[in-house]
Amino acid sequence: MRAPVAMKKVVISLFAILAGTSFALAADTGCDAFKWPVEREQALFPSAPAAQSGAALTVGEAVDFSLAAVDTISFEVPPGHAPAAGTFGATARVTVPPEGELQFSLSDDAWIDVVQDGKTVKSAAFSGVKNCPGIRKSLRFKLAGGAAIIQLSGAKKADLKVAVLTPE
């Protein structure tokens, strides 16, 4: 028994609608799912120079940290999220420009605290994506111009790339 032509058109139309929806969802995955562009990080991370805990970070650049066991790191203040045993971390310094807003992007899962005047500064915005190759999350902080300490903790791997940028 053959389906009427009108029924075939309805089935084909529904298929086209569903296919279009799945293509639209596929386009909104990966790096495009971040709340802001991450192309600068993608350009910086492959050639990021090696850095150790205690390094000075420069706005507009990225580094590739060799992390240490988190229980060997002397943090300025306790991390905002208690790191699990067996994880890794580092500290760094950065000079915040007078405008005061910085964006930190991390290649993998890790906790980041930004400390100024002995106090942890809460992030102003966060975006994280699990399926963007090479970039896991990006956070924005509104800071006072001057010195700040960056604390990284809870990383499951002993290396982590970090980009320090001004928001676009």
Side-chain angles (χ1 to χ4, degrees):
M1 179 174 181
R2 297 185 66 177
V5 172
M7 180 66 149
K8 285 182 182 178
K9 287 182 180 178
V10 168
V11 170
I12 291 170
S13 295
L14 284 173
F15 177 76
I17 290 169
L18 292 173
T21 301
S22 66
F23 289 133
L25 290 174
D28 194 28
T29 60
C31 302
D32 292 339
F34 275 101
K35 293 178 185 174
W36 46 79
V38 293
E39 288 86 9
R40 296 181 298 166
E41 293 88 330
Q42 289 173 312
L44 290 170
F45 279 173
S47 60
Q52 302 292 321
S53 189
L57 304 178
T58 302
V59 177
E61 297 181 3
V63 297
D64 187 354
F65 272 107
S66 289
L67 304 176
V70 75
D71 58 354
T72 67
I73 304 294
S74 294
F75 293 112
E76 180 81 8
V77 299
H81 182 73
T87 60
F88 302 91
T91 61
R93 302 173 318 282
V94 67
T95 300
V96 179
E99 305 80 53
E101 192 168 5
L102 288 181
Q103 176 176 306
F104 295 89
S105 297
L106 310 179
S107 61
D108 289 298
D109 273 328
W111 184 263
I112 182 170
D113 289 303
V114 178
V115 180
Q116 277 194 312
D117 298 322
K119 297 179 186 130
T120 304
V121 178
K122 183 178 165 120
S123 66
F126 168 85
S127 187
V129 174
K130 292 187 178 186
N131 58 349
C132 176
I135 303 175
R136 171 61 183 93
K137 65 181 177 179
S138 187
L139 298 94
R140 291 180 173 175
F141 292 84
K142 293 188 182 202
L143 305 163
I149 295 171
I150 310 310
Q151 299 183 162
L152 303 164
S153 60
K156 293 181 177 143
K157 298 186 326 184
D159 63 303
L160 180 72
K161 292 180 181 173
V162 178
V164 183
L165 303 166
T166 54
E168 292 184 305

